[in-house]
Amino acid sequence: MKLVWSPDTASKAYIDTVQSCQVFRESGVAELVSAMAAGWNAQFIVETWSQGGVIATSIGLSIARGHTGGRHVCIVPDERSRLEYGERMGEAGKSTEIMVGEAEEVMEGLEGIDFMVVDCRRKEFSRVLRMAKLSSKGAVLLCKNANSRNVPGFKWRSVLDEGSRRLVRSVFLPVGKGLDIAHVSAIGGNLAGHGRAKRWIKHVDQQSGEVHVIRR
């Protein structure tokens, strides 16, 4: 079984996130991430967050979870982050499963992840990606704030085991402070994706007005 794209679900999540995140006046990352998670029918969404971080992306992921009926887990490093995250999500009328601890350690107990968002400003982001136990049907991995990452020359292949977690495609989008996206194949999947029709996704950056078109 592989990840299957649903444009209708993606559109609904996108619109719902736009409506929910208008007050934040941010870059449009939340809407795009929400549409992707919902469109790929993510059943296990995992994100990392720390005190003082942007909450709009988390709201978008929560909305996506509502459309897919899956699970959404946020990993935070300490109790202060947990309290702030819970309070801010509550103010937005959203709830998420929160797990406290070092992301690398918490990841040990999470299996079957098919959609993951990490913050490149966290020094351990590449280790977290490397340790993620991904779903056998494939996964979509996203690095937000990619322009701020502190790992020079980061390559997706450096965190993916070519034996079982093959990189299908990756793309960098100049949305927000940079969004680096990778699609990992299902176990036994076709790396090149031959024989499947390509799909185009259009995303409009709400702040700059730029239009980004992604081929999936």
Side-chain angles (χ1 to χ4, degrees), residues 20-194:
S20 296
C21 294
Q22 286 179 341
V23 296
F24 295 103
R25 298 182 181 278
E26 291 171 352
S27 61
V29 172
E31 293 93 330
L32 179 59
V33 171
S34 178
M36 291 184 66
W40 286 116
N41 192 33
Q43 294 301 297
F44 192 5
I45 301 170
V46 174
E47 65 167 320
T48 60
W49 191 88
S50 58
Q51 187 177 23
V54 173
I55 203 68
T57 300
S58 300
I59 294 172
L61 291 173
S62 179
I63 290 171
R65 180 202 61 78
H67 283 281
T68 66
R71 180 184 179 193
H72 175 202
V73 171
C74 180
I75 303 173
V76 298
D78 49 47
E79 187 65 16
R80 292 180 65 182
S81 295
R82 184 191 70 80
L83 290 173
E84 180 180 329
Y85 183 89
E87 180 179 351
R88 293 174 68 183
M89 288 293 282
E91 290 173 351
K94 307 298 178 184
S95 61
T96 300
E97 184 178 347
I98 307 173
M99 302 185 75
V100 182
E102 292 299 326
E104 302 100 310
E105 298 176 0
V106 176
M107 292 297 294
E108 286 291 330
L110 302 178
E111 298 184 2
I113 299 168
D114 53 8
F115 198 91
M116 186 170 185
V117 181
V118 298
D119 190 339
C120 288
R121 292 179 298 186
R122 301 284 297 176
K123 61 182 180 180
E124 76 281 3
F125 84 91
S126 61
R127 293 197 302 273
V128 174
L129 290 169
R130 191 175 295 112
M131 296 179 66
K133 298 177 181 178
L134 304 181
S135 168
S136 61
K137 66 180 181 179
V140 178
L141 309 176
L142 296 93
C143 292
K144 63 181 183 179
N145 298 312
N147 291 332
S148 304
R149 59 188 164 203
N150 54 15
V151 179
F154 170 81
K155 300 292 183 183
W156 279 109
R157 296 188 187 280
S158 68
V159 298
L160 297 173
D161 178 4
E162 285 298 314
S164 60
R165 309 196 322 171
R166 295 182 297 172
L167 181 65
V168 177
R169 65 179 69 87
S170 64
V171 62
F172 176 86
L173 299 179
V175 180
K177 296 182 179 179
L179 194 61
D180 205 351
I181 307 168
H183 187 172
V184 182
S185 69
I187 293 178
N190 187 334
L191 180 61
H194 295 302

